[in-house]
Amino acid sequence: MHSKLKPLLMSALLSVSVIAASGVTAQQYLKTEHLYPKTIPDRIVNVSAGYKSDSLPYGVFEYIDTFGSTEAEIVNRLGEPEERFEWQEENRHESDVKNTVITLVYDGLIIELVEVKQKTFIKRLFIESCEINSPFQNYLCKPVPAVISELGQPRVIFADELIYTLQHGDVGSTPMRMGVKNDKISWIYLRSYID
């Protein structure tokens, strides 16, 4: 076996075995692992002061629960998802508590919820459909210069992505990511500070 492939294979096997031990099959893990764009390194989020809660980018972050804040609310609004995944994960703050993670997959929209002690939070949202009726239509499929003019300068600009850093009081920062294709916003990814 090639020397560079061996560590990668071992890492993948370890990840799948750890996930499998928590009740998620390898197939489910591999499916859900690639639903979202790769998250950026924390150092990019934390190097600069984030936009505060009175800024326009932060206002877009608040759309994270625009489709509902529980699974029942989301399904009532959007109907049954095309795919649904559920598993348990460790709560890093309390070792005796398990979080339930639920991922709902719709055409052009993915919503991940986390249930912690009978409370449900939207953990991640990825939307790429310009057709789904929501406040995200104010930015999706719009020209990049128009979006930057409205939201302000992103903290990080790549050829295919804009990244805004959002500060959540003293809790920390999270990225709001906007994909770029043909000089227009092609997707929006939001990650909550809830873990």
Side-chain angles (χ1 to χ4, degrees), residues 50-105:
Y51 288 93
K52 306 297 187 206
S53 59
D54 59 351
S55 69
L56 273 171
Y58 198 96
V60 179
F61 170 80
E62 291 179 340
Y63 297 161
I64 197 165
D65 61 358
T66 197
F67 300 105
S69 55
T70 67
E71 182 176 6
E73 289 175 2
I74 293 166
V75 170
N76 282 340
R77 175 163 179 189
L78 299 175
E80 291 295 328
E82 294 175 2
E83 290 187 273
R84 181 188 185 277
F85 303 96
E86 178 178 335
W87 64 88
Q88 302 286 307
E89 68 178 11
E90 297 292 328
N91 181 313
R92 69 185 181 110
H93 302 291
E94 298 178 62
S95 59
D96 60 332
V97 174
K98 296 278 191 191
N99 297 342
T100 300
V101 180
I102 299 167
T103 303
L104 305 175
V105 181

Side-chain angles (χ1 to χ4, degrees), residues 31-37 63-67 74 78 81-85 87 101-113 122-129 132 136 187-191:
K31 274 185 154 184
T32 57
E33 183 69 5
H34 302 290
L35 290 176
Y36 308 98
Y63 297 161
I64 197 165
D65 61 358
T66 197
F67 300 105
I74 293 166
L78 299 175
E82 294 175 2
E83 290 187 273
R84 181 188 185 277
F85 303 96
W87 64 88
V101 180
I102 299 167
T103 303
L104 305 175
V105 181
Y106 293 91
D107 184 22
L109 173 67
I110 301 161
I111 302 172
E112 185 174 286
L113 305 101
I122 304 297
K123 185 176 181 181
R124 293 193 283 184
L125 182 143
F126 173 79
I127 184 167
E128 60 183 350
S129 172
I132 297 174
F136 292 108
W187 51 261
I188 298 173
Y189 170 89
L190 303 172
R191 188 181 79 214

